[in-house]
Amino acid sequence: MKLVSFDAFRTLRLSGVSILKPENMFRQKDEILAADWVLFPEYWQVNALVFGLKKKIFPSLSSYLLGHNKIEMTRAFRMLIPQHTPSTEIHANTPSRAEAVWEMMDLPFVAKIPKSSMGEGVFLIENRADWNAYLARTDVIYAQEYLPIDRDMRIIIVGKQLVAGYWRLQGADGFHNNVSRGGQVDVSPLHPAAVSLALELAEKLDLDHAGFDIAMVGDHPYVLEFNRLFGNTGLADLHVRVADAIQQYLNSQVEKDDDPQDPDRPQPPLPIAV
């Protein structure tokens, strides 16, 4: 199996990988064409690789399209599992819309910058000043109900299989759970309802490399978001477990493509009766 990767950090442990620099994509077209898989391209490369060269990419196209923007993933969640998605208002940031959202939301509530990660674009709105400060930073309003929680779970799925997971306890600011923002890791057993929800979403949305953030309110899970590129700092051996899972998944997909009995394998056209 021939692999090319545009992310050395995430693919160093994989076998048969050639590391390419994203900026050299056009000059190294022949090497890309010869590969079975293209791993971890940057977002700007995806259309050229998938639609131009018809290459298989990992993570999946769905992982890129939905994971690039909180708005898109939230709409997908609401379509599939509305009962497990916090109530969310998404609107253009106009004075009238901003005022309407302010009037309908119960304080406190959460507001997010649609394209952000590691908790950097997540704000707790407790008063009008908080709201105005948020509005000044975004073109799109993303307002979400506040869940009464002090922790959530990071659940990591690779190739539709659970690889690892842990609880993230609230940091000193009393709001963010992200490890990068001071959240603490707790390796207590994951709630099975949250694991089931993550696996369901991975299967239905064709997400093969995702770190889901799922919170529990009582025994009811709520999905907050997923990260296509998630951090590996939560557990000491997480990078090893993820790399091994990627290798196994890619191997299994190549074997599936080579299996003539695979029901999902494209079949030749039936002969035309004359």
Side-chain angles (χ1 to χ4, degrees):
M1 179 170 59
K2 295 181 180 179
L3 307 172
V4 296
S5 170
F6 288 103
D7 189 331
F9 172 74
R10 294 180 184 273
T11 54
L12 278 175
R13 292 182 54 86
L14 304 187
S15 60
V17 180
S18 297
I19 306 297
L20 307 183
K21 293 182 178 180
E23 59 268 26
N24 292 337
M25 177 177 69
F26 299 103
R27 290 195 293 272
Q28 295 181 289
K29 175 181 174 180
D30 290 342
E31 191 169 354
I32 295 170
L33 283 170
D36 296 297
W37 286 87
V38 179
L39 311 181
F40 294 100
E42 294 187 2
Y43 187 81
W44 64 266
Q45 298 176 274
V46 168
N47 285 344
L49 293 169
V50 173
F51 301 114
L53 298 185
K54 303 296 188 280
K55 299 305 297 182
K56 293 186 295 185
I57 63 170
F58 178 88
S60 65
L61 181 60
S62 297
S63 300
Y64 277 89
L65 296 180
L66 296 176
H68 190 62
N69 189 309
K70 288 182 174 62
I71 291 172
E72 301 305 328
M73 72 175 71
T74 299
R75 286 172 174 159
F77 295 159
R78 290 174 66 183
M79 185 62 71
L80 284 177
I81 48 156
Q83 71 277 24
H84 297 291
T85 307
S87 177
T88 308
E89 294 293 330
I90 300 171
H91 301 280
N93 185 1
T94 65
S96 60
R97 289 290 189 181
E99 186 62 26
V101 172
W102 171 258
E103 291 295 332
M104 73 175 64
M105 299 299 292
D106 293 327
L107 292 173
F109 62 92
V110 176
K112 300 179 181 180
I113 304 295
K115 294 182 180 181
S116 60
S117 61
M118 298 187 294
E120 293 295 335
V122 182
F123 306 90
L124 180 64
I125 307 300
E126 298 182 290
N127 51 53
R128 177 72 82 161
D130 293 339
W131 183 233
N132 290 338
Y134 164 75
L135 293 174
R137 300 183 59 171
T138 183
D139 295 327
V140 178
I141 294 171
Y142 182 112
Q144 194 168 73
E145 70 171 308
Y146 176 82
L147 299 179
I149 58 173
D150 63 358
R151 65 197 64 202
D152 61 19
M153 280 164 281
R154 167 61 56 87
I155 299 176
I156 295 169
I157 306 292
V158 174
K160 319 298 174 59
Q161 300 294 323
L162 174 67
V163 173
Y166 51 89
W167 291 84
R168 306 184 306 176
L169 309 185
Q170 207 166 74
D173 66 0
F175 177 55
H176 292 94
N177 299 334
N178 308 72
V179 176
S180 61
R181 298 293 299 271
Q184 301 298 308
V185 171
D186 181 352
V187 295
S188 299
L190 301 173
H191 197 292
V195 174
S196 294
L197 181 59
L199 290 170
E200 177 185 356
L201 288 170
E203 179 65 33
K204 290 183 175 179
L205 295 175
D206 190 27
L207 308 176
D208 54 17
H209 187 269
F212 288 93
D213 295 341
I214 297 181
M216 301 299 300
V217 177
D219 289 325
H220 190 83
Y222 286 92
V223 61
L224 304 177
E225 61 182 80
F226 80 89
N227 293 273
R228 172 178 57 86
L229 298 178
F230 46 82
N232 288 331
T233 58
L235 301 173
D237 64 341
L238 185 55
H239 67 291
V240 176
R241 294 161 68 176
V242 169
D244 289 347
I246 292 172
Q247 185 81 68
Q248 292 171 13
Y249 174 66
L250 296 179
N251 289 341
S252 72
Q253 293 304 295
V254 170
E255 292 169 2
K256 183 178 178 181
D257 290 342
D258 292 339
D259 181 4
Q261 302 302 317
D262 177 13
D264 295 328
R265 180 185 176 87
Q267 299 299 311
L270 295 173
I272 299 175
V274 177

